[in-house]
Amino acid sequence: MPPCSTPRLPPPPALPPWPLTPIPPVQVFGLFVALGVLIAWVWTVTFIPAYIMLIPPASLARFGLAPAKESRPLLARLLAWSGRRVFRWARPVLLATAVVAVVAAYGISRIAINDNPVKWFAPSHPIRIADRVLNAHFGGTYMAYLALEALPEQEALPQYTAALSARLAAQARALPAAAEVFAAVQARAMQLAATAASPLALLEALEAFVDAQAWRAPEAQVEAWEAAAHLLSQERQRRQVFKQPEVLRYVARLQEHLLSTGVVGKSSSLADIVKTVHRELFLGEAAQFRIPDSASAVAQTLLTYQSSHRPQDLWHFVTPDYRTASLWVQLKSGDNQDMSRVVAAVDRFFAAQPPPMPLRHRWFGLTYLNVVWQQKMVSGMLQAFLGSFLVVLLMMVFLFRSALWGLLSMVPLTVTIGLIYGAIGFLGKDYDMPVAVLSSLSLGLAVDYAIHFLARSRALYVRHGTWAPTLEAVFGEPARAIARNAVVVSLGFLPLLAAPLVPYQTVGTLIAAILLVAGLATLLVLPALATVLQPWLFPATPRLRFTCQCATCLVTAVAAVALGGGQRAPVSRRGLDSPELGERRGPSPAGSGLRPAGATRKMRRDP
């Protein structure tokens, strides 16, 4: 296959793993890039030859490499000199490449995975300036929500009935004047237990019974029935977890722990409402800014809050059954690393200080969603990168009919990716969305030069018969075409540096760097490897040819199996169901009754 056609084929097959990533924008991007490359190839093999046929032959007389070395331009002479030095110093070049690879590996280990959409704007942009000022003066503009849910009750109906009967009997002994009434309630509870579906249904039926009896009771028993109704109200409050003082104090301690992280500027919860209202009920005494000592007192503060505000405002912090509460967390930074620190801090708090009642915690909100997006991006792009790598390798083995030549064509792009991402680690650049996307895109860009170099090398080797004159010929017109292509195309991406958004600038810089490094790796590392591997690349004996054919079959089979297994393996579901980020079992917060402002619409960010 001619080199003009060969380099154009790998990029589209290298991009299909992108539609399998769990990120819709990346899927669309991969499909559009693949389609664009195919259309460009069609125009290259149709329009360009037709246009050349219209050019007068006289205009093409001086086209190509000049026969006389003295009349060749500087680039041609420099490439010829480089080819001779690489042939002579092949092993030192490979040793230097290995050293660079080790350093790059260390740089890759220093890469920090982080993203923040606000940082997509330049530091001098008004949005960035406003972000810094607001977060310096207020509690934080980045919202995250922590849902605290009471676990489903495991107490069976017979056990609950027995416990309720014991509490009724104890109350009867404490109030002798109401003993007859409590005995009636106790007897009714035993009757209803035979048909009740759950402890809650039993409690509701008993409440209806007590209310009916209180209306019909003689005046002498009214207070006794009211005492029974009060006891049942306390029974109901026992099931309302977030009316219990010990639970609210636990939430308050959790808020103090979050403030100690240095990332959280402020947090709001039901405990803050209860403490604030309780202080106001005592005429603003600072000592009364605390959680009351009983569930009844907590209920009174909440009733007071609802009577002085819109009643539905309370449901932004707790569900009507008081079994699920929402903790609003305001962060001063939108970095995913900071959100992850907060998540880890909450996990450590729950592990070190178990809640007084069984609770599970789950995160939601835009800031946390960015963390989930980042995890999907990293895992998805890693899958896409490995899939693309294997697809390109299989195509190279197929095109060159040799596993060794196929592996050789992957060396420049491997060196390029390692060097570029190692530099990212040393420079402290975060591994964000544009950097992740470019990891797969760089495959199609970097492999082009290797294909062109190797395809021309094989064709010229047939003409010259030995590697030394072949390499000299390759560093003539083919190397000059590769060098010019690398420089021209990389310069074509540099106008992106003038873009107003940082991701565009990152894309322009990285693609230009990828193209230049891939061109250098192709012109330095590939000829050095080919010089060392001459006996295997051009086998002269039947035994060597048989060994190469067996290696080709083996590499092809392994790559195909790895590609098939990798495409069938699902990407790890991290995020809302991720154990690394805390308990996230059960229904989503959207179905729990919580309605935090901004959970389903743009939120008013309170200081």
Side-chain angles (χ1 to χ4, degrees):
M1 183 176 291
C4 180
S5 301
T6 308
R8 291 297 97 201
L9 289 180
L15 297 173
W18 282 13
L20 302 179
T21 59
I23 309 173
V26 177
Q27 298 171 356
V28 175
F29 182 73
L31 290 174
F32 269 87
V33 171
L35 180 62
V37 172
L38 285 175
I39 293 175
W41 176 79
V42 171
W43 279 99
T44 301
V45 298
T46 56
F47 175 78
I48 297 299
Y51 180 80
I52 292 176
M53 293 299 297
L54 299 178
I55 299 177
S59 301
L60 300 175
R62 300 183 59 185
F63 186 80
L65 191 65
K69 297 182 179 181
E70 295 77 11
S71 59
R72 293 178 181 177
L74 176 63
L75 177 62
R77 297 197 302 271
L78 179 62
L79 289 173
W81 178 86
S82 300
R84 293 192 298 270
R85 294 301 180 271
V86 170
F87 178 78
R88 181 179 303 175
W89 300 332
R91 285 178 171 78
V93 169
L94 296 180
L95 179 60
T97 303
V99 172
V100 171
V102 172
V103 175
Y106 176 71
I108 293 174
S109 68
R110 294 169 53 91
I111 289 180
I113 300 174
N114 187 38
D115 204 352
N116 183 354
V118 173
K119 291 185 177 178
W120 294 357
F121 298 92
S124 58
H125 195 279
I127 291 179
R128 289 286 295 275
I129 296 174
D131 178 74
R132 290 194 296 269
V133 173
L134 289 173
N135 285 288
H137 291 82
F138 296 98
T141 61
Y142 298 93
M143 296 300 302
Y145 304 93
L146 180 64
L148 303 174
E149 297 178 293
L151 296 178
E153 295 184 349
Q154 304 296 329
E155 188 176 16
L157 181 60
Q159 287 78 9
Y160 178 76
T161 304
L164 176 61
S165 178
R167 286 190 286 271
L168 287 169
Q171 192 70 9
R173 291 191 298 270
L175 300 173
E180 181 181 351
V181 171
F182 280 101
V185 176
Q186 185 177 5
R188 184 61 175 171
M190 302 305 294
Q191 293 175 2
L192 293 173
T195 57
S198 65
L200 181 60
L202 172 62
L203 188 58
E204 291 174 348
L206 276 178
E207 287 177 332
F209 169 75
V210 170
D211 288 342
Q213 293 300 318
W215 280 102
R216 295 193 296 265
E219 186 175 352
Q221 291 185 339
V222 170
E223 290 187 5
W225 284 106
E226 289 179 352
H230 180 67
L231 185 142
L232 294 179
S233 176
Q234 289 181 329
E235 284 292 319
R236 180 177 287 275
Q237 287 183 2
R238 289 181 65 252
R239 305 173 62 83
Q240 295 173 336
V241 173
F242 288 98
K243 281 186 179 179
Q244 306 307 311
E246 61 273 18
V247 175
L248 292 177
R249 293 190 185 103
Y250 181 82
V251 174
R253 292 198 301 273
L254 174 59
Q255 292 179 252
E256 294 174 359
H257 179 70
L258 287 175
L259 291 176
S260 67
T261 61
V263 180
V264 175
K266 182 181 178 182
S267 62
S268 305
S269 72
L270 186 65
D272 295 318
I273 295 176
V274 171
K275 290 191 291 185
T276 301
V277 175
H278 185 264
R279 179 185 60 190
E280 298 307 316
L281 290 175
F282 284 86
L283 303 179
E285 294 183 16
Q288 298 302 324
F289 187 72
R290 61 181 180 85
I291 303 296
D293 296 327
S294 66
S296 299
V298 170
Q300 182 62 40
T301 61
L302 296 177
L303 182 62
T304 303
Y305 175 83
Q306 287 186 293
S307 64
S308 60
H309 296 72
R310 291 181 302 176
Q312 65 271 20
D313 286 351
L314 185 63
W315 310 138
H316 291 313
F317 293 93
V318 68
T319 52
D321 61 359
Y322 291 92
R323 295 188 60 82
T324 302
S326 176
L327 176 61
W328 295 19
V329 181
Q330 295 176 237
L331 286 76
K332 289 182 172 292
S333 167
D335 286 4
N336 291 343
Q337 285 184 335
D338 292 333
M339 182 68 227
S340 298
R341 286 173 55 192
V342 174
V343 171
V346 171
D347 291 341
R348 290 193 300 268
F349 182 84
F350 270 79
Q353 304 182 43
M357 292 186 177
L359 299 176
R360 62 186 173 192
H361 59 287
R362 299 184 296 156
W363 286 96
F364 62 106
L366 182 59
T367 308
Y368 176 71
L369 180 63
N370 289 336
V371 176
V372 178
W373 147 264
Q374 175 182 277
Q375 294 166 344
K376 294 290 185 181
M377 175 189 68
V378 172
S379 60
M381 295 313 301
L382 177 62
Q383 181 190 34
F385 173 77
L386 295 177
S388 300
F389 192 94
L390 291 174
V391 168
V392 173
L393 175 59
L394 284 174
M395 288 203 64
M396 294 304 96
V397 173
F398 172 76
L399 290 173
F400 291 116
R401 303 295 193 274
S402 169
L404 184 58
W405 283 86
L407 291 172
L408 200 62
S409 66
M410 306 299 290
V411 171
L413 68 88
T414 304
V415 172
T416 299
I417 293 172
L419 186 59
I420 294 299
Y421 281 85
I424 289 175
F426 282 116
L427 294 175
K429 167 70 177 174
D430 289 336
Y431 185 90
D432 52 12
M433 181 268 296
V435 175
V437 171
L438 286 175
S439 62
S440 287
L441 183 61
S442 60
L443 287 171
L445 296 173
V447 77
D448 279 3
Y449 305 136
I451 298 172
H452 191 92
F453 185 92
L454 294 178
R456 293 291 291 155
S457 296
R458 288 176 59 140
L460 292 172
Y461 186 85
V462 174
R463 181 188 306 173
H464 295 282
T466 58
W467 177 242
T470 298
L471 186 61
E472 183 179 357
V474 170
F475 271 85
E477 290 184 347
R480 189 172 65 158
I482 292 173
R484 286 180 172 179
N485 182 280
V487 173
V488 172
V489 179
S490 61
L491 290 177
F493 282 97
L494 291 183
L496 287 175
L497 297 178
L501 293 178
V502 175
Y504 294 152
Q505 301 172 7
T506 302
V507 169
T509 302
L510 288 184
I511 290 185
I514 288 170
L515 291 169
L516 289 175
V517 174
L520 289 175
T522 300
L523 296 176
L524 296 178
V525 181
L526 269 189
L529 277 173
T531 301
V532 173
L533 299 176
Q534 285 183 65
W536 298 94
L537 292 173
F538 308 103
T541 64
R543 183 176 181 179
L544 283 178
R545 284 193 291 268
F546 177 76
T547 303
C548 292
Q549 291 172 358
C550 292
T552 300
C553 295
L554 179 61
V555 170
T556 304
V558 171
V561 171
L563 179 63
Q567 294 303 318
R568 286 193 300 269
V571 178
S572 174
R573 294 186 70 245
R574 301 180 63 187
L576 294 180
D577 299 325
S578 172
E580 292 88 343
L581 296 185
E583 289 291 335
R584 275 166 269 283
R585 301 168 293 172
S588 66
S592 63
L594 295 176
R595 297 189 297 112
T600 57
R601 64 185 185 274
K602 182 173 179 63
M603 177 186 169
R604 175 178 59 85
R605 291 173 174 169
D606 295 327

